[in-house]
Amino acid sequence: MIHKILSGLDKLYGFRTASAHCDVPCGIYDPSTSQIAALTVIRMLDLINELAEKETLTIADQARLSRLVSQKEEHAEKVKAEVRIIWGDYFKQAQFDQVSGVNELVHSIMLQGSKCRQTIDQDNGPELLKLVNQFAEAFWQTKGVETVTATCPYPPAQLVVYPKLG
Amino acid sequence: MISVFKIQGESMSPRLSGGDFVVASRFYITLSEGDIVVVQHPVYGRIIKRVKHIGESGRFLLTGENEQSLSSEQMGWLARSTIKAKVLFSGRKNTLLAT
Protein backbone atom coordinates (compact mmCIF):
# COMPACT_ATOMS: atom_id res chain seq x y z
CA MET A 1 0.00 0.00 0.00
CA ILE A 2 2.59 2.56 1.12
CA HIS A 3 4.90 1.43 -1.68
CA LYS A 4 2.14 2.11 -4.19
CA ILE A 5 1.59 5.61 -2.84
CA LEU A 6 5.30 6.40 -2.77
CA SER A 7 5.75 4.88 -6.20
CA GLY A 8 3.01 7.13 -7.57
CA LEU A 9 4.56 10.18 -5.92
CA ASP A 10 7.95 9.14 -7.26
CA LYS A 11 6.58 9.19 -10.80
CA LEU A 12 5.23 12.69 -10.22
CA TYR A 13 8.08 14.25 -8.29
CA GLY A 14 11.04 11.89 -8.67
CA PHE A 15 12.49 11.10 -5.25
CA ARG A 16 16.23 11.15 -4.76
CA THR A 17 17.95 7.81 -4.71
CA ALA A 18 20.13 6.32 -2.00
CA SER A 19 22.52 3.70 -3.20
CA ALA A 20 22.82 0.37 -1.44
CA HIS A 21 26.30 0.03 -2.87
CA CYS A 22 27.88 -3.29 -3.73
CA ASP A 23 31.61 -3.90 -3.79
CA VAL A 24 31.60 -4.74 -7.48
CA PRO A 25 29.78 -3.00 -10.30
CA CYS A 26 26.42 -4.76 -10.57
CA GLY A 27 24.73 -5.63 -13.81
CA ILE A 28 27.46 -7.65 -15.50
CA TYR A 29 25.98 -11.07 -16.07
CA ASP A 30 26.81 -13.52 -18.84
CA PRO A 31 26.12 -17.26 -18.93
CA SER A 32 29.14 -17.90 -21.18
CA THR A 33 31.35 -18.60 -18.17
CA SER A 34 29.06 -21.43 -17.11
CA GLN A 35 28.96 -22.80 -20.67
CA ILE A 36 32.76 -22.82 -20.88
CA ALA A 37 32.93 -24.54 -17.51
CA ALA A 38 30.45 -27.18 -18.71
CA LEU A 39 32.55 -27.73 -21.85
CA THR A 40 35.59 -28.18 -19.63
CA VAL A 41 33.74 -30.83 -17.63
CA ILE A 42 32.99 -32.73 -20.85
CA ARG A 43 36.60 -32.44 -21.99
CA MET A 44 37.90 -33.68 -18.65
CA LEU A 45 35.50 -36.63 -18.73
CA ASP A 46 36.71 -37.49 -22.25
CA LEU A 47 40.36 -37.37 -21.20
CA ILE A 48 39.69 -39.40 -18.05
CA ASN A 49 37.97 -42.08 -20.11
CA GLU A 50 40.88 -42.10 -22.58
CA LEU A 51 43.14 -42.94 -19.67
CA ALA A 52 40.73 -45.67 -18.62
CA GLU A 53 41.45 -47.49 -21.87
CA LYS A 54 45.09 -48.02 -20.86
CA GLU A 55 45.90 -51.38 -19.32
CA THR A 56 48.22 -49.92 -16.74
CA LEU A 57 48.81 -46.43 -15.52
CA THR A 58 52.30 -45.09 -15.01
CA ILE A 59 53.02 -42.67 -12.20
CA ALA A 60 52.75 -39.87 -14.78
CA ASP A 61 49.36 -41.20 -15.89
CA GLN A 62 48.20 -41.35 -12.29
CA ALA A 63 49.33 -37.79 -11.71
CA ARG A 64 47.47 -36.74 -14.87
CA LEU A 65 44.34 -38.62 -13.76
CA SER A 66 44.44 -36.89 -10.44
CA ARG A 67 44.68 -33.52 -12.17
CA LEU A 68 41.87 -34.30 -14.62
CA VAL A 69 39.53 -35.40 -11.85
CA SER A 70 40.36 -32.32 -9.84
CA GLN A 71 39.66 -30.03 -12.80
CA LYS A 72 36.43 -31.86 -13.62
CA GLU A 73 35.15 -31.31 -10.11
CA GLU A 74 36.32 -27.72 -9.96
CA HIS A 75 34.57 -26.80 -13.20
CA ALA A 76 31.37 -28.66 -12.33
CA GLU A 77 31.28 -26.59 -9.16
CA LYS A 78 31.99 -23.47 -11.22
CA VAL A 79 28.98 -24.21 -13.44
CA LYS A 80 26.82 -24.37 -10.35
CA ALA A 81 28.25 -21.18 -8.86
CA GLU A 82 27.98 -19.13 -12.06
CA VAL A 83 24.40 -20.22 -12.72
CA ARG A 84 23.47 -19.54 -9.09
CA ILE A 85 24.81 -15.99 -9.33
CA ILE A 86 22.76 -15.16 -12.43
CA TRP A 87 19.69 -16.84 -11.02
CA GLY A 88 20.05 -15.27 -7.58
CA ASP A 89 21.28 -11.79 -8.48
CA TYR A 90 20.00 -11.06 -11.97
CA PHE A 91 16.67 -12.86 -12.17
CA LYS A 92 13.89 -10.85 -10.58
CA GLN A 93 10.12 -11.17 -10.93
CA ALA A 94 10.22 -9.37 -14.29
CA GLN A 95 12.61 -12.00 -15.70
CA PHE A 96 10.71 -14.90 -14.15
CA ASP A 97 7.60 -13.56 -15.87
CA GLN A 98 9.41 -13.54 -19.22
CA VAL A 99 10.58 -17.13 -19.16
CA SER A 100 8.86 -19.97 -17.41
CA GLY A 101 10.43 -22.91 -15.64
CA VAL A 102 13.71 -21.19 -14.75
CA ASN A 103 13.64 -22.31 -11.11
CA GLU A 104 13.20 -25.95 -12.09
CA LEU A 105 15.90 -25.61 -14.74
CA VAL A 106 18.39 -24.14 -12.26
CA HIS A 107 17.62 -26.90 -9.80
CA SER A 108 18.26 -29.48 -12.53
CA ILE A 109 21.61 -27.83 -13.25
CA MET A 110 22.55 -28.05 -9.57
CA LEU A 111 21.73 -31.76 -9.51
CA GLN A 112 23.46 -32.49 -12.81
CA GLY A 113 26.52 -30.49 -11.74
CA SER A 114 26.77 -32.65 -8.64
CA LYS A 115 26.45 -35.80 -10.73
CA CYS A 116 29.39 -34.62 -12.83
CA ARG A 117 31.43 -34.14 -9.71
CA GLN A 118 30.56 -37.53 -8.26
CA THR A 119 31.08 -39.80 -11.26
CA ILE A 120 33.12 -40.20 -14.43
CA ASP A 121 30.13 -41.19 -16.55
CA GLN A 122 30.69 -39.54 -19.94
CA ASP A 123 26.95 -39.03 -20.51
CA ASN A 124 26.70 -36.64 -17.58
CA GLY A 125 28.81 -33.89 -19.18
CA PRO A 126 26.75 -33.32 -22.34
CA GLU A 127 23.57 -33.45 -20.27
CA LEU A 128 24.97 -30.69 -18.06
CA LEU A 129 25.85 -28.60 -21.11
CA LYS A 130 22.37 -29.14 -22.55
CA LEU A 131 20.80 -27.74 -19.39
CA VAL A 132 23.25 -24.84 -19.21
CA ASN A 133 22.50 -24.02 -22.86
CA GLN A 134 18.81 -23.89 -22.00
CA PHE A 135 19.63 -21.53 -19.17
CA ALA A 136 21.71 -19.36 -21.52
CA GLU A 137 18.78 -19.26 -23.96
CA ALA A 138 16.44 -18.16 -21.17
CA PHE A 139 18.92 -15.52 -20.01
CA TRP A 140 19.36 -14.01 -23.49
CA GLN A 141 15.60 -14.09 -23.97
CA THR A 142 15.19 -11.81 -20.95
CA LYS A 143 17.70 -9.46 -22.57
CA GLY A 144 15.79 -9.49 -25.85
CA VAL A 145 18.84 -10.92 -27.60
CA GLU A 146 18.43 -13.61 -30.23
CA THR A 147 20.57 -16.71 -29.94
CA VAL A 148 22.25 -19.06 -32.37
CA THR A 149 23.36 -22.61 -31.70
CA ALA A 150 26.74 -23.56 -33.14
CA THR A 151 29.45 -26.12 -32.56
CA CYS A 152 32.27 -24.67 -30.50
CA PRO A 153 35.46 -24.55 -32.61
CA TYR A 154 37.60 -26.51 -30.13
CA PRO A 155 37.39 -29.82 -28.30
CA PRO A 156 34.98 -31.19 -27.18
CA ALA A 157 33.23 -29.64 -30.24
CA GLN A 158 29.77 -29.53 -28.67
CA LEU A 159 26.71 -27.46 -29.57
CA VAL A 160 26.69 -24.20 -27.66
CA VAL A 161 24.06 -21.45 -27.51
CA TYR A 162 25.63 -18.08 -28.37
CA PRO A 163 24.05 -14.61 -28.33
CA LYS A 164 23.51 -13.11 -31.77
CA LEU A 165 25.18 -9.76 -31.29
CA GLY A 166 25.96 -7.07 -33.85
CA MET B 1 12.61 17.57 7.70
CA ILE B 2 11.24 14.38 6.21
CA SER B 3 12.60 13.00 2.95
CA VAL B 4 11.81 10.00 0.81
CA PHE B 5 14.57 8.05 -0.90
CA LYS B 6 14.34 5.35 -3.50
CA ILE B 7 16.73 2.44 -3.02
CA GLN B 8 19.15 1.39 -5.73
CA GLY B 9 21.18 -1.78 -5.39
CA GLU B 10 20.98 -4.91 -3.30
CA SER B 11 23.55 -4.55 -0.56
CA MET B 12 20.77 -3.97 2.01
CA SER B 13 18.84 -7.04 0.95
CA PRO B 14 16.84 -8.77 2.42
CA ARG B 15 16.00 -5.77 4.64
CA LEU B 16 15.68 -3.39 1.69
CA SER B 17 15.74 -4.13 -2.01
CA GLY B 18 16.23 -2.06 -5.11
CA GLY B 19 13.00 -0.18 -5.89
CA ASP B 20 11.92 0.08 -2.24
CA PHE B 21 11.39 3.47 -0.65
CA VAL B 22 12.45 4.74 2.75
CA VAL B 23 11.05 7.65 4.67
CA ALA B 24 13.83 9.35 6.60
CA SER B 25 14.24 12.32 8.89
CA ARG B 26 17.05 14.81 8.71
CA PHE B 27 16.52 15.55 12.38
CA TYR B 28 16.93 12.83 14.96
CA ILE B 29 17.61 12.72 18.66
CA THR B 30 19.67 9.60 19.05
CA LEU B 31 21.88 7.54 16.80
CA SER B 32 22.31 3.91 17.76
CA GLU B 33 24.05 0.91 16.34
CA GLY B 34 21.60 -0.86 14.04
CA ASP B 35 19.98 2.36 12.77
CA ILE B 36 19.61 2.69 9.02
CA VAL B 37 21.00 5.97 7.75
CA VAL B 38 21.40 7.82 4.48
CA VAL B 39 24.95 9.09 4.31
CA GLN B 40 26.75 11.42 1.92
CA HIS B 41 29.95 9.43 1.63
CA PRO B 42 33.04 11.30 0.39
CA VAL B 43 33.90 8.48 -2.03
CA TYR B 44 30.71 6.53 -2.69
CA GLY B 45 28.19 9.37 -2.80
CA ARG B 46 24.74 9.10 -1.26
CA ILE B 47 24.48 5.64 0.24
CA ILE B 48 22.12 3.86 2.59
CA LYS B 49 23.62 1.54 5.19
CA ARG B 50 23.26 0.29 8.73
CA VAL B 51 25.28 1.80 11.57
CA LYS B 52 27.58 -0.95 12.73
CA HIS B 53 29.61 0.69 15.45
CA ILE B 54 29.84 4.10 17.05
CA GLY B 55 33.21 5.05 18.44
CA GLU B 56 33.93 7.15 21.51
CA SER B 57 34.64 10.17 19.36
CA GLY B 58 31.18 9.92 17.83
CA ARG B 59 32.52 8.77 14.49
CA PHE B 60 30.89 5.61 13.22
CA LEU B 61 31.26 2.61 10.96
CA LEU B 62 28.67 1.44 8.46
CA THR B 63 27.79 -1.98 7.13
CA GLY B 64 25.43 -3.54 4.60
CA GLU B 65 23.05 -6.44 5.11
CA ASN B 66 24.85 -9.03 3.03
CA GLU B 67 28.24 -9.99 1.68
CA GLN B 68 27.72 -8.02 -1.54
CA SER B 69 28.05 -4.81 0.38
CA LEU B 70 31.05 -2.61 0.55
CA SER B 71 32.84 -3.56 3.73
CA SER B 72 33.02 -1.38 6.82
CA GLU B 73 36.75 -1.03 6.20
CA GLN B 74 36.17 0.20 2.65
CA MET B 75 33.67 2.82 3.82
CA GLY B 76 35.87 3.81 6.76
CA TRP B 77 35.15 5.84 9.88
CA LEU B 78 32.71 8.63 9.16
CA ALA B 79 31.79 11.88 10.91
CA ARG B 80 28.24 12.58 12.10
CA SER B 81 28.04 15.44 9.59
CA THR B 82 27.93 12.89 6.75
CA ILE B 83 24.55 11.59 7.93
CA LYS B 84 21.86 13.19 5.81
CA ALA B 85 18.90 11.38 7.30
CA LYS B 86 17.94 8.58 9.65
CA VAL B 87 15.42 6.12 8.27
CA LEU B 88 12.09 6.04 10.08
CA PHE B 89 10.33 3.34 8.08
CA SER B 90 10.37 1.74 4.68
CA GLY B 91 7.81 1.16 1.97
CA ARG B 92 8.55 -2.18 0.44
CA LYS B 93 6.92 -3.66 -2.59
CA ASN B 94 4.89 -6.19 -0.69
CA THR B 95 4.99 -5.15 2.90
CA LEU B 96 5.55 -2.31 5.31
CA LEU B 97 8.40 -2.92 7.68
CA ALA B 98 9.55 -0.72 10.47
CA THR B 99 13.31 -0.41 10.28
Side-chain angles (χ1 to χ4, degrees):
Chain A
M1 177 65 179
I2 194 157
H3 185 273
K4 272 190 180 173
I5 295 167
L6 292 173
S7 193
L9 289 171
D10 182 43
K11 279 175 192 154
L12 285 174
Y13 303 110
F15 292 132
R16 288 179 294 170
T17 57
S19 181
H21 251 289
C22 300
D23 60 356
V24 291
C26 294
I28 302 173
Y29 302 107
D30 194 321
S32 62
T33 48
S34 56
Q35 291 169 295
I36 291 169
L39 286 167
T40 305
V41 170
I42 296 174
R43 182 71 177 142
M44 294 304 107
L45 285 167
D46 290 348
L47 293 174
I48 289 166
N49 281 280
E50 272 178 28
L51 274 183
E53 288 167 14
K54 286 190 167 188
E55 279 187 18
T56 54
L57 294 182
T58 64
I59 290 293
D61 287 334
Q62 290 178 44
R64 184 170 156 76
L65 175 62
S66 166
R67 191 155 179 263
L68 293 172
V69 170
S70 158
Q71 287 300 306
K72 169 181 72 77
E73 296 209 13
E74 193 177 302
H75 283 83
E77 192 54 42
K78 190 175 178 185
V79 170
K80 292 174 66 177
E82 297 287 336
V83 168
R84 264 200 310 266
I85 288 168
I86 295 178
W87 174 74
D89 294 353
Y90 167 71
F91 271 84
K92 306 277 190 312
Q93 193 55 52
Q95 285 73 36
F96 287 125
D97 291 343
Q98 279 177 276
V99 285
S100 59
V102 170
N103 292 337
E104 293 77 8
L105 177 60
V106 169
H107 187 229
S108 302
I109 292 171
M110 298 302 118
L111 294 176
Q112 192 63 26
S114 296
K115 263 190 195 175
C116 287
R117 292 193 64 180
Q118 290 159 356
T119 73
I120 56 165
D121 185 339
Q122 268 181 298
D123 293 337
N124 283 335
E127 182 58 27
L128 178 65
L129 179 64
K130 190 177 118 190
L131 294 168
V132 173
N133 275 335
Q134 286 173 20
F135 183 73
E137 239 173 346
F139 172 83
W140 291 117
Q141 190 183 326
T142 67
K143 291 278 185 189
V145 174
E146 280 184 52
T147 54
V148 60
T149 302
T151 303
C152 63
Y154 41 77
Q158 296 282 319
L159 289 174
V160 175
V161 169
Y162 296 102
K164 220 171 163 181
L165 303 172
Chain B
M1 198 173 86
I2 302 293
S3 303
V4 180
F5 295 92
K6 188 175 183 178
I7 308 303
Q8 276 186 338
E10 295 296 333
S11 73
M12 292 297 283
S13 177
R15 199 164 186 171
L16 294 168
S17 298
D20 288 346
F21 295 95
V22 292
V23 177
S25 170
R26 190 175 166 184
F27 303 107
Y28 54 90
I29 297 167
T30 58
L31 182 71
S32 310
E33 290 168 9
D35 284 346
I36 306 290
V37 288
V38 176
V39 164
Q40 189 63 41
H41 193 280
V43 175
Y44 301 110
R46 189 165 54 239
I47 57 176
I48 183 163
K49 295 285 174 184
R50 176 163 52 85
V51 176
K52 180 184 180 185
H53 179 67
I54 301 172
E56 284 179 13
S57 64
R59 292 165 75 86
F60 60 92
L61 285 172
L62 294 172
T63 185
E65 295 290 343
N66 61 56
E67 71 277 6
Q68 282 182 38
S69 175
L70 290 162
S71 67
S72 302
E73 291 72 23
Q74 284 172 305
M75 291 184 278
W77 286 95
L78 294 163
R80 287 282 181 106
S81 59
T82 61
I83 296 180
K84 295 302 158 198
K86 179 175 155 180
V87 173
L88 303 175
F89 61 89
S90 61
R92 306 203 61 187
K93 283 170 192 166
N94 299 317
T95 183
L96 170 62
L97 288 180
T99 55

